[in-house]
């Protein structure tokens, strides 16, 4: 359903190649040093984005009562709105660099192995649908409304190999990650799910016509829709009853993905970087259950609210026009692909960078982007700080910051894109990332001689 999704962490991404976690955003990045080991416990990345907060929906009156601001809220939705969540838990990450890759005029290969537990949730709804449900169809007379919507919730395990390489005698760095996927659960609609409503004019007694296509909800994995409906988890219980914890940890829903990254230094002042991550698919074959409606169109029959029973009218409409079915067939879902592009300007020395970044995604054919511009400053080889102004989809401007600090062989990192406005009453989005690495570096002195 969601062909492109950016995992927002702009301020942390602006740290460049300071940490191994930078390779999550661009596989061409690889830290300076030899050996890196990520501690699995304290590392995570979280992003949530909602179109509204509690204060947008409810307002406390002078007498203490709560009032619903539905009209103002729906008017602010625009063409569409979405609720997005993304979380990543790093279980294992180790990297080693062969050769002096980060030295001038040199080549080198960085190799990493990683295991991550990841989950994402996306819900996209057209604003006009909420308008119709709340205010009725009076404002849409003669106006055909095509309402594309979708939901996709996925949890999966990824294991992979990362490669980062600098071309000989070149300003170009390339990165590639190959990932094996195992899906734990999925709830989704097809990418072309939509409904259409048309309210005719007075000459047709304001008749309402409706049609729908590919209206289904698919589910698979440890718990599916049927399990939730019946209140049982027989498929999940089967693993624990037989002590088959290996199959529980690495499920049979398999997939594959690749990440691509590049960084090119144009001249001494300008560098560009681009990454396209999570180009992949998961084939859902285990514990599959799909509920759907066969494609159809109908017209709501004429009725009189004073004389006819509305409940009976609606029940008859559903019984006469909705053909339900259930499938247990395997299906595939694409991963929510992340795209990150940036322009780096180095105005003074190699310790200060000014970076402009765009994170993009497409939800049901609508292009959505987040932006950030910030400064990255290296105060020393073991202390780097970045600050950014960020603009996320559906949100206003905010401040972000990130830090990487190393003491001995222990490296701490943290970053947020939102530094202000964390009251529960007004909270509508949040992003944060933190963790600890073990880093070993061996330094060498490289000398160049020139014959005359």
């Amino acid at each position: 359903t969601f062909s492109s999704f950016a995992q927002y962490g702009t301020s942390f991404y602006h740290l460049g190649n300071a940490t191994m976690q930078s390779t999550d955003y661009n596989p061409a990045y690889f830290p300076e040093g030899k050996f890196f080991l990520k501690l699995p416990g304290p590392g995570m990345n979280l992003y949530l984005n909602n179109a509204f907060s509690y204060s947008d929906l409810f307002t406390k009156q002078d007498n203490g009562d709560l009032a619903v601001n539905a009209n103002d809220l729906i008017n602010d939705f625009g063409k569409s709105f979405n609720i997005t969540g993304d979380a990543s838990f790093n279980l294992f990450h180790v990297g080693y660099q062969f050769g002096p890759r980060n030295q001038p005029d040199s080549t080198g290969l960085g190799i990493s192995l990683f295991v991550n537990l990841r989950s994402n949730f996306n819900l996209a709804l057209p604003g006009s649908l909420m308008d119709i449900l709340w205010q009725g169809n009076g404002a849409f007379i003669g106006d055909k409304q095509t309402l594309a919507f979708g939901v996709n919730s996925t949890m999966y395990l990824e294991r992979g190999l990362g490669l980062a390489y600098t071309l000989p005698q070149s300003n170009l760095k390339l990165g590639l990650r190959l990932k094996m996927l195992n899906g734990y659960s999925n709830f989704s609609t097809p990418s072309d799910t939509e409904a259409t409503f048309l309210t005719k004019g007075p000459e047709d007694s304001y008749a309402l016509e409706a049609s729908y296509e590919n209206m289904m909800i698919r589910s698979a994995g440890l718990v599916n829709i049927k399990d939730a409906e019946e209140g049982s988890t027989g498929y999940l219980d089967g693993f624990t009853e037989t002590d088959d914890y290996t199959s529980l940890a690495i499920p049979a829903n398999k997939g594959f993905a690749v990440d691509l990254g590049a960084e090119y230094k144009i001249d001494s002042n300008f560098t560009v970087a681009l990454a396209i991550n999570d180009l992949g698919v998961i084939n859902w074959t285990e514990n599959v259950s799909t509920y759907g409606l066969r494609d159809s169109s109908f017209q709501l029959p004429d009725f009189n609210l004073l004389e006819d029973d509305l409940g009976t009218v609606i029940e008859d409409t559903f019984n006469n026009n909705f053909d339900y079915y259930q499938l247990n067939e395997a299906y595939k879902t694409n991963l929510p692909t992340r795209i990150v592009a940036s322009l780096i300007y180095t105005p003074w020395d190699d310790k200060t960078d000014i970076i402009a970044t765009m994170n993009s995604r497409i939800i049901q054919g609508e292009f959505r982007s987040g932006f950030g511009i910030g400064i990255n400053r290296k105060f020393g080889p073991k202390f780097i700080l970045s600050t950014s102004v960020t603009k996320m989809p559906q949100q206003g401007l905010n401040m972000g910051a990130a830090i990487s600090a190393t003491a001995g062989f222990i490296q701490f990192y943290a970053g947020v894109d939102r530094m202000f406005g964390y009251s529960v009453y007004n909270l509508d989005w949040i992003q944060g990332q933190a963790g600890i690495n073990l880093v070993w570096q061996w330094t060498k002195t490289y000398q160049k001689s020139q014959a005359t």
Side-chain angles (χ1 to χ4, degrees):
T1 301
F2 307 91
S3 58
S4 178
F5 174 77
Q7 180 180 347
Y8 298 104
T10 303
S11 298
F12 183 84
Y13 170 71
H14 285 176
L15 289 176
N17 65 339
T19 72
M20 282 298 296
Q21 285 64 42
S22 301
T23 65
D24 292 341
Y25 298 88
N26 191 327
Y29 288 169
F30 205 88
E32 297 180 7
K34 277 295 184 181
F35 182 73
F36 310 87
L37 178 63
K38 170 71 181 63
L39 293 182
M44 67 168 296
N45 191 347
L46 175 66
Y47 172 72
L48 298 172
N49 188 334
N50 186 23
F52 57 89
S53 65
Y54 177 87
S55 61
D56 294 326
L57 185 57
F58 298 102
T59 299
K60 182 175 288 187
Q61 305 299 294
D62 294 337
N63 60 2
D65 294 339
L66 291 178
V68 179
N69 305 324
N71 289 329
D72 295 338
L73 181 66
I74 292 174
N75 290 335
D76 291 339
F77 280 158
K79 182 180 178 180
S80 65
F81 71 97
N82 64 90
I83 301 174
T84 301
D86 186 84
S88 178
F89 299 91
N90 191 212
L91 304 179
F92 176 77
H93 199 161
V94 62
Y96 185 81
Q97 186 169 207
F98 296 88
R101 177 175 179 268
N102 291 290
Q103 297 296 327
D105 300 326
S106 66
T107 62
L109 176 65
I111 298 180
S112 62
L113 300 172
F114 56 88
V115 180
N116 297 315
L117 178 63
R118 300 181 59 183
S119 66
N120 55 70
F121 173 81
N122 299 277
L123 171 65
L125 292 174
S128 54
L129 173 62
M130 305 303 295
D131 204 2
I132 291 174
L133 294 176
W134 178 252
Q135 303 187 66
N137 59 339
F140 301 97
I141 295 176
D143 184 10
K144 187 176 182 180
Q145 296 291 309
T146 299
L147 310 177
F149 57 92
V151 62
N152 190 355
S153 176
T154 306
M155 183 175 180
Y156 63 95
L157 178 75
E158 67 173 17
R159 296 167 291 161
L161 168 68
L163 304 172
Y165 185 68
T166 299
L167 272 66
Q169 303 297 320
S170 172
N171 293 330
L172 180 62
K173 298 179 181 180
L174 299 176
L176 170 68
R177 277 197 301 264
L178 306 174
K179 301 189 288 190
M180 296 177 56
L181 311 177
N182 296 91
Y184 290 108
S185 67
N186 175 261
F187 297 86
S188 62
T189 57
S191 58
D192 52 356
T193 296
E194 68 177 24
T196 301
F197 295 92
L198 172 62
T199 302
K200 296 184 176 181
E203 65 278 4
D204 295 305
S205 301
Y206 302 103
L208 175 64
E209 291 185 349
S211 62
Y212 49 88
E213 298 179 359
N214 299 304
M215 192 73 66
M216 66 178 68
I217 179 70
R218 308 172 300 188
S219 65
L222 300 179
V223 178
N224 63 24
I225 294 178
K226 187 175 181 181
D227 296 333
E229 180 184 27
E230 297 177 352
S232 62
T233 56
Y235 183 78
L236 176 61
D237 295 339
F239 294 105
T240 58
E241 291 173 356
T242 59
D243 295 330
D244 188 7
Y245 296 106
T246 300
S247 299
L248 181 62
I250 306 177
N253 302 298
K254 298 179 180 180
F256 181 78
V258 297
D259 299 345
L260 304 172
E263 182 187 77
Y264 180 70
K265 189 174 183 62
I266 301 174
D267 55 32
S268 60
N269 295 114
F270 290 96
T271 303
V272 293
L274 173 66
I276 304 175
N277 301 318
D278 294 330
L279 286 168
V281 64
I282 299 179
N283 186 25
W284 300 94
T285 60
E286 300 298 309
N287 200 30
V288 179
S289 180
T290 297
Y291 290 86
L293 300 174
R294 303 192 190 281
D295 295 355
S296 181
S297 61
F298 64 92
Q299 177 172 310
L300 194 67
D302 295 334
F303 62 92
N304 190 318
L305 283 174
L306 299 179
E307 299 178 2
D308 298 330
D309 182 270
L310 181 59
T312 301
V313 173
I314 294 177
E315 182 180 358
D316 291 343
T317 301
F318 272 79
N319 290 336
N320 295 333
N321 298 283
F322 289 83
D323 184 10
Y324 301 92
Y325 66 90
Q326 181 178 354
L327 292 176
N328 298 311
E329 298 179 354
Y331 63 94
K332 295 180 180 180
T333 60
N334 295 325
L335 292 187
T337 304
R338 302 174 288 147
I339 302 175
V340 185
S342 59
L343 173 65
I344 302 107
Y345 174 53
T346 308
W348 305 295
D349 54 42
D350 58 0
K351 295 183 178 181
T352 304
D353 295 325
I354 299 175
I355 308 172
T357 297
M358 180 180 71
N359 299 306
S360 299
R361 67 185 179 198
I362 301 173
I363 299 180
Q364 288 298 100
E366 183 176 349
F367 192 85
R368 293 181 178 270
S369 296
F371 303 92
I373 184 168
I375 298 177
N376 174 29
R377 175 66 180 177
K378 300 179 179 68
F379 293 94
K382 298 184 179 181
F383 183 73
I384 303 175
L385 177 66
S386 81
T387 59
S388 304
V389 176
T390 58
K391 170 65 175 70
M392 296 298 106
Q394 308 181 128
Q395 313 299 337
L397 295 176
N398 213 291
M399 289 290 296
I403 185 175
S404 170
T406 304
F409 59 86
I410 297 179
Q411 180 184 56
F412 167 78
Y413 66 87
V416 294
D417 278 346
R418 179 174 185 168
M419 298 177 62
F420 309 106
Y422 277 103
S423 69
V424 176
Y425 186 70
N426 297 309
L427 188 63
D428 48 12
W429 73 280
I430 184 175
Q431 187 277 329
Q433 185 169 356
I436 297 176
N437 296 325
L438 300 182
V439 180
W440 286 269
Q441 300 189 38
W442 291 271
T443 60
K444 296 182 181 179
T445 301
Y446 293 87
Q447 298 179 346
K448 295 178 64 178
S449 61
Q450 182 176 356
T452 59

